[in-house]
Amino acid sequence: SYATVESGRFELAAGAQILRVDLTSTDFNLNWIELVPVFPVAQTAFGNGGNPWPIDSTAVTRIEAEDFDQGGPDVAYQDADSINQGGAYRSEDVDIQPTTDTGLGFNVGAFVAGEWLEYTINVAAAGTYQVRFRTARAPAGSSTLRVLVDGVDKTGNVTIPRTVGWQTWTTVTKAGVSLEAGTHTLRVEVVGGDFNLNWIEIAP
């Protein structure tokens, strides 16, 4: 009785090469290996009617964490495993679960180092903004994240504190974030530790 499992995406150089299948655990049968070309996938906004999230110099914009862009792994997000561990909201690899935070809805859970989510935004006017993160974290110590816009680090490492429970929420604010006018890709990237993320707000 066979099943097909898939790896993440990886790059191959041109030319003759040796491919090794290296067993890191034992006790299974292997029938075949397929190498499948992966063509670039267009990255588009999810939520907000499929339009970029509008960032206004006079109003607060809230982006629910689970409304990351469409495009799939390595394009719109990076997740440590290939399954939605929370089993909610979207059929993507990102772990999404119901939340008990104010307003209910969903949160991205077990957001760990090396993972990231991207959102397409449209900034009406260049300026300096605040970015707020609604987070929860049970383990001792703290975690860190950063925000990149079009690949440029805009926040440096932001500390995410312990809140004692995975559904005990706090809002972390990073001020002095400069944004240029126009359409951009905003990435929330976990630098260290793990935490739950409910939403991101961008405020003047």
Side-chain angles (χ1 to χ4, degrees):
S1 297
Y2 283 84
T4 302
V5 295
E6 297 181 350
S7 72
R9 301 182 185 197
F10 57 91
E11 294 184 3
L12 292 175
Q17 300 170 59
I18 295 173
L19 182 149
R20 174 189 290 179
V21 178
D22 190 8
L23 277 63
T24 56
S25 63
T26 59
D27 209 14
F28 62 90
N29 290 345
L30 179 64
N31 188 6
W32 47 254
I33 305 150
E34 284 184 339
L35 297 180
V36 182
V38 178
F39 300 100
V41 178
Q43 181 172 346
T44 57
F46 181 89
N48 194 40
N51 298 308
W53 294 95
I55 309 303
D56 195 286
S57 59
T58 60
V60 177
T61 299
R62 177 178 292 185
I63 305 171
E64 296 292 337
E66 65 273 15
D67 286 337
F68 54 88
D69 283 357
Q70 298 185 102
D74 304 319
V75 176
Y77 63 83
Q78 180 64 258
D79 195 87
D81 55 47
S82 57
I83 187 173
N84 178 349
Q85 297 283 359
Y89 191 62
R90 295 175 68 174
S91 56
E92 300 277 7
D93 300 339
V94 177
D95 305 323
I96 303 172
Q97 61 186 173
T99 183
T100 59
D101 194 14
T102 303
L104 301 178
F106 303 94
N107 66 260
V108 172
F111 205 20
V112 302
E115 295 185 339
W116 48 263
L117 303 168
E118 289 190 342
Y119 308 84
T120 301
I121 61 172
N122 187 279
V123 182
T128 301
Y129 294 81
Q130 292 184 6
V131 183
R132 303 169 186 151
F133 311 92
R134 188 69 170 169
T135 63
R137 187 173 191 274
S142 61
S143 299
T144 51
L145 64 73
R146 63 176 183 164
V147 170
L148 297 89
V149 177
D150 298 338
V152 177
D153 187 346
K154 291 289 186 176
T155 61
N157 289 353
V158 178
T159 299
I160 305 301
R162 181 190 189 197
T163 60
V164 182
W166 287 110
Q167 289 295 322
T168 303
W169 296 89
T170 190
T171 302
V172 177
T173 300
K174 176 65 177 180
V177 178
S178 63
L179 298 176
E180 300 298 321
T183 301
H184 305 284
T185 300
L186 182 148
R187 175 184 290 189
V188 178
E189 179 178 273
V190 185
V191 178
D194 54 352
F195 56 92
N196 287 351
L197 179 65
N198 189 2
W199 46 253
I200 307 110
E201 284 185 342
I202 302 176

